[in-house]
Amino acid sequence: MAVCFSSPVKLKSIDHFTLLFNPKPKNNTNKPIFKCNASVTTTATEPQPLFTSVKTFAPATVANLGPGFDFLGCAVDGLGDYVSLRVDPSVHPGEISISEISGHSKLSKNPLWNCAGIAAIATMKMLNIRSVGLSLSLEKGLPLGSGLGSSAASAAAAAVAVNEMFGGKLNSEELVLAGLESEAKVSGYHADNIAPAIMGGFILVRSYDPLELMRLSFPQNKELFFVLASPEFEAPTKKMRAALPAEVMMPHHVWNCSQAGALVASVLQGDLAGLGKALSSDKIVEPKRAPLIPGMEAVKKAAIKAGAFGCTISGAGPTAVAVVEDEEMGKAIGERMVEAFWKDGNLKAVAVVKRLDRVGARLVGSIPR
Amino acid sequence: MAVCFSSPVKLKSIDHFTLLFNPKPKNNTNKPIFKCNASVTTTATEPQPLFTSVKTFAPATVANLGPGFDFLGCAVDGLGDYVSLRVDPSVHPGEISISEISGHSKLSKNPLWNCAGIAAIATMKMLNIRSVGLSLSLEKGLPLGSGLGSSAASAAAAAVAVNEMFGGKLNSEELVLAGLESEAKVSGYHADNIAPAIMGGFILVRSYDPLELMRLSFPQNKELFFVLASPEFEAPTKKMRAALPAEVMMPHHVWNCSQAGALVASVLQGDLAGLGKALSSDKIVEPKRAPLIPGMEAVKKAAIKAGAFGCTISGAGPTAVAVVEDEEMGKAIGERMVEAFWKDGNLKAVAVVKRLDRVGARLVGSIPR
């Protein structure tokens, strides 16, 4: 199915925002703060495609990170979604079609109802693409509803694919805004998955109006591994969000704030023990959500007992995420976490050990015109 | 008045804590995290005084810093209290006497009811001083109830004076615990003034049980000035604390948490604009307290309009603190803040511009034995 930009897709926030920041290369680590203000303006002239086809990858992401609830996330390498995008003369100019989805059978090929499609449309609109038709193929590497930013990975890969196809004219923050269109539709207007999926590393979402993102650079000379234990269990974001309290006791607010500060400092200082401790310290969200995921509390205990620096729920779950500095040790810890999911939660689970992704969504292949 | 250590002074938390960390020099900036666990043990053998007298200075401190409420504080150079301490054969061995207090007439000379006295006693107890009597003289450089950590400065100067007198055997965190005894009595068991007063710079209080402090090092090659505008107005900590809500709406919690994270990142990165913005961003505490200080809201606006990076209430007020990078500009901004206090609050005020203090409480004079 092809969709024209004059279709009824709502690009609410894009319509309402204007990007005021200067264009700069993606993944620029020198200037850690990015600001977008008011509405995104489309590029003045329509760019032409530089490629016949491009292929992009976008990583899984771990949002929340305990006390970083709803404003902090990071990218995880080696897990994610691929998007292949090609110029398709059979698609009406200015429209996009989803030709294939592999790795998941339930996803809609209607671009208006597909994360990749929505983000691609938003990006094409920003670029003012009117005279080229595109075909998109999505390879899902991430399961849905796992707490690993599955929708954000699809959206990020699609937004970056469209942008790369036309010469990379949009910067990271504009791409995050495009991805946010998709996130808003499927899981809420939250950038804590889509921002790190596009930009890599740790990203702090400072505000939405204007969108302001801070890159928290984990030191290049230090290693950081995540153990991700995913049980066969559905933890719908809606249900997990409904479990949250409307109000927070002041002492818990102060506690979580201080742990959030400690988490940020630990990331910037490359202090794994501090990071893990902060990860485990949430007194507000995790205590409400963990009981809804069978075995989660035992999994956390098992991970820490086995030597993880810390453990919490990844995103809204059900994946449990632990932090380690050594890959082999991470594998052993993953086994303990899987055992605990089985023993205490009666859930089958699989565990993987993955590095911090410092790059974010990227081009992995292209055929020049 | 002299007080013996077997007196009924309550050293509750010191009795309940044991310091587990290794002794290390004060103001060590290489290891940013400090932990104390369980109860403070007194030194095994009684140290002898190295000096006939010592004189110490402890700086003013700005606690809260907007979204850093109750867990973040920093020290301000050039404002503070002095303590002179001498070996006094006329004081009963193991006891301390307050001989003089200048700069403030209302303070008690009873060491049990004086911030400097309580902290000195706690420090002597930690050092196991039994055979030397001491006389303490306090020069108040800070007004009481100003929101600039007046009680913490007295306590810090006293604790460091006693420690230096006997060879500096206690480290910073032990001294913070001694100072906390004093703070607990006069303004609550909060370390966000006493920790930076003793250690200098920005200190994040991560937890109390065990006491865990994180030094947030502001880059050495960058300047940071505070404009401190203090009106003639009393803002009792108790009243200012009573103004706080018992619960916080979840969106405000998330907002303040993200700003606290941004504040910490800005300090570590030496990003003054980011720091100022975070300082100004509190949606929970400042909105409740500012209306209780006549003119405060106008002062904040005036400071930011005049070019400050940000402005908020210092501690529980009534001092307003703004952040600038240039001393001369700070003076001009201070004038605008004083004008606003007068115009909108009908309050006389004085403004000073002071650097970040990176050192904390220190010896400024000594006479060897």
Side-chain angles (χ1 to χ4, degrees):
Chain A
M1 180 186 174
V3 173
C4 174
F5 290 123
S6 58
S7 72
V9 60
K10 281 188 184 170
L11 290 163
K12 193 186 63 172
S13 64
I14 293 186
D15 289 333
H16 293 172
F17 284 103
T18 301
L19 299 176
L20 290 182
F21 46 78
N22 298 322
K24 59 180 171 299
K26 207 174 89 60
N27 301 319
N28 177 348
T29 55
N30 295 327
K31 205 179 173 188
I33 301 183
F34 313 99
K35 298 178 192 180
C36 308
N37 208 342
S39 67
V40 169
T41 47
T42 54
T43 55
T45 55
E46 183 184 358
Q48 293 304 303
L50 302 188
F51 305 98
T52 302
S53 69
V54 296
K55 185 172 182 178
T56 55
F57 168 80
T61 43
V62 174
N64 295 346
L65 295 156
F69 175 68
D70 260 9
F71 68 87
L72 197 62
C74 66
V76 177
D77 199 20
L79 280 177
D81 290 357
Y82 289 89
V83 158
S84 299
L85 190 75
R86 63 187 173 89
V87 174
D88 189 344
S90 74
V91 176
H92 194 277
E95 297 185 6
I96 191 164
S97 163
I98 295 180
S99 57
E100 194 185 351
I101 298 173
S102 61
H104 206 285
S105 58
K106 285 184 189 169
L107 290 173
S108 170
K109 283 190 181 175
N110 181 335
L112 295 180
W113 297 105
N114 179 289
C115 303
I118 301 169
I121 290 168
T123 312
M124 289 176 79
K125 185 171 180 183
M126 284 182 183
L127 288 169
N128 200 22
I129 305 302
R130 295 181 310 260
S131 54
V132 177
L134 298 170
S135 261
L136 185 153
S137 163
L138 173 63
E139 289 174 53
K140 285 298 299 175
L142 292 174
L144 305 189
S146 57
L148 290 170
S150 174
S151 61
S154 294
V160 170
V162 172
N163 191 40
E164 292 293 338
M165 172 68 85
F166 294 96
K169 300 201 179 298
L170 302 176
N171 63 24
S172 306
E173 302 70 47
E174 290 167 302
L175 295 171
V176 170
L177 279 177
L180 258 172
E181 294 306 308
S182 165
E183 290 289 87
K185 221 165 196 177
V186 299
S187 59
Y189 199 73
H190 293 286
D192 47 349
N193 285 112
I194 188 69
I198 285 175
M199 299 165 72
F202 287 87
I203 304 291
L204 186 155
V205 183
R206 191 167 187 173
S207 72
Y208 284 94
D209 189 11
L211 179 66
E212 194 175 333
L213 308 170
M214 285 183 99
R215 179 185 295 284
L216 306 176
S217 296
F218 189 81
Q220 287 291 341
N221 60 346
K222 296 205 176 180
E223 282 279 30
L224 168 55
F225 290 94
F226 299 95
V227 186
L228 301 162
S230 301
E232 289 180 2
F233 181 76
E234 203 182 347
T237 303
K238 220 172 234 181
K239 187 181 167 192
M240 299 307 274
R241 200 157 273 277
L244 300 180
E247 294 191 324
V248 174
M249 296 288 290
M250 181 61 98
H252 284 178
H253 162 68
V254 171
W255 170 264
N256 261 43
C257 258
S258 69
Q259 301 312 307
L263 178 60
V264 167
S266 300
V267 168
L268 290 171
Q269 293 167 343
D271 171 7
L272 283 188
L275 198 165
K277 189 170 181 179
L279 202 73
S280 297
S281 70
D282 174 20
K283 286 188 178 177
I284 296 170
V285 175
E286 189 192 298
K288 295 288 181 190
R289 287 180 166 177
L292 304 180
I293 303 167
M296 179 58 79
E297 285 151 344
V299 169
K300 178 174 179 169
K301 280 182 194 158
I304 291 169
K305 192 181 169 192
F309 288 116
C311 181
T312 189
I313 303 167
S314 177
T319 295
V321 56
V323 167
V324 295
E325 66 184 333
D326 178 83
E327 193 167 10
E328 286 309 308
M329 191 180 179
K331 287 178 186 169
I333 290 169
E335 286 173 17
R336 298 293 86 74
M337 292 167 78
V338 168
E339 280 171 14
F341 261 131
W342 179 246
K343 199 176 159 192
D344 273 69
N346 201 28
L347 294 178
K348 285 185 188 171
V350 291
V352 292
V353 183
K354 299 290 177 186
R355 269 192 176 80
L356 173 68
D357 177 301
R358 299 172 189 262
V359 180
R362 62 259 201 186
L363 195 65
V364 294
S366 61
I367 300 172
R369 293 196 90 183
Chain B
M1 180 189 174
V3 172
C4 174
F5 290 127
S6 58
S7 73
V9 60
K10 280 187 184 171
L11 290 163
K12 192 186 64 173
S13 65
I14 292 186
D15 289 333
H16 293 173
F17 283 102
T18 301
L19 298 176
L20 290 181
F21 45 77
N22 297 323
K24 59 179 172 299
K26 206 174 90 56
N27 302 319
N28 177 347
T29 55
N30 295 327
K31 204 181 173 187
I33 301 183
F34 313 100
K35 297 178 191 181
C36 309
N37 209 340
S39 64
V40 169
T41 48
T42 53
T43 55
T45 56
E46 183 185 358
Q48 292 305 303
L50 302 189
F51 304 98
T52 302
S53 69
V54 296
K55 185 172 182 177
T56 55
F57 168 80
T61 44
V62 174
N64 296 346
L65 295 156
F69 175 67
D70 260 9
F71 68 86
L72 198 61
C74 66
V76 176
D77 199 19
L79 280 178
D81 290 357
Y82 290 89
V83 158
S84 298
L85 190 74
R86 64 187 171 88
V87 174
D88 189 344
S90 74
V91 176
H92 194 279
E95 297 185 6
I96 190 164
S97 164
I98 295 181
S99 57
E100 194 185 351
I101 298 173
S102 60
H104 206 285
S105 58
K106 285 184 188 168
L107 291 173
S108 170
K109 282 190 181 174
N110 181 335
L112 295 181
W113 298 105
N114 179 288
C115 302
I118 300 170
I121 291 168
T123 312
M124 289 175 81
K125 185 171 180 185
M126 284 182 183
L127 288 168
N128 199 23
I129 306 302
R130 294 181 311 259
S131 55
V132 177
L134 298 170
S135 260
L136 185 152
S137 165
L138 173 64
E139 289 174 54
K140 284 299 298 176
L142 292 174
L144 305 190
S146 57
L148 291 170
S150 174
S151 60
S154 295
V160 169
V162 172
N163 191 41
E164 293 293 337
M165 172 68 86
F166 294 96
K169 299 198 179 300
L170 302 176
N171 62 26
S172 306
E173 302 70 46
E174 290 166 301
L175 294 172
V176 170
L177 280 177
L180 259 172
E181 294 306 307
S182 165
E183 290 289 88
K185 221 164 195 177
V186 298
S187 59
Y189 198 74
H190 294 286
D192 46 350
N193 284 113
I194 188 69
I198 285 176
M199 299 165 71
F202 287 87
I203 304 291
L204 186 155
V205 183
R206 191 167 186 174
S207 72
Y208 285 93
D209 190 11
L211 179 66
E212 194 174 333
L213 308 170
M214 287 183 98
R215 179 185 295 283
L216 305 177
S217 296
F218 189 81
Q220 287 290 341
N221 59 345
K222 296 206 176 180
E223 283 278 31
L224 169 55
F225 290 94
F226 299 95
V227 186
L228 301 162
S230 302
E232 288 179 4
F233 181 76
E234 203 182 345
T237 303
K238 220 173 234 180
K239 186 182 168 192
M240 298 308 273
R241 200 158 274 277
L244 300 179
E247 294 192 325
V248 172
M249 295 288 290
M250 181 61 97
H252 285 177
H253 163 68
V254 171
W255 170 264
N256 262 41
C257 258
S258 68
Q259 301 312 308
L263 178 60
V264 166
S266 300
V267 168
L268 290 171
Q269 293 167 343
D271 171 7
L272 282 188
L275 197 164
K277 189 170 181 179
L279 202 73
S280 297
S281 69
D282 174 18
K283 286 188 178 177
I284 296 170
V285 175
E286 189 192 298
K288 295 289 181 188
R289 286 180 166 177
L292 303 180
I293 303 168
M296 179 58 79
E297 285 152 344
V299 168
K300 178 174 179 168
K301 280 181 196 160
I304 291 170
K305 193 181 168 194
F309 289 116
C311 181
T312 189
I313 304 166
S314 178
T319 295
V321 57
V323 167
V324 294
E325 66 184 332
D326 178 84
E327 194 168 9
E328 285 309 308
M329 191 181 180
K331 287 177 186 169
I333 291 169
E335 287 172 18
R336 299 293 86 71
M337 293 166 77
V338 167
E339 280 170 14
F341 262 130
W342 179 246
K343 198 176 160 194
D344 274 70
N346 201 27
L347 293 178
K348 284 185 188 171
V350 290
V352 292
V353 184
K354 299 290 176 185
R355 270 193 176 79
L356 174 69
D357 178 299
R358 300 171 189 261
V359 179
R362 62 258 200 185
L363 195 65
V364 293
S366 61
I367 301 173
R369 295 196 89 184

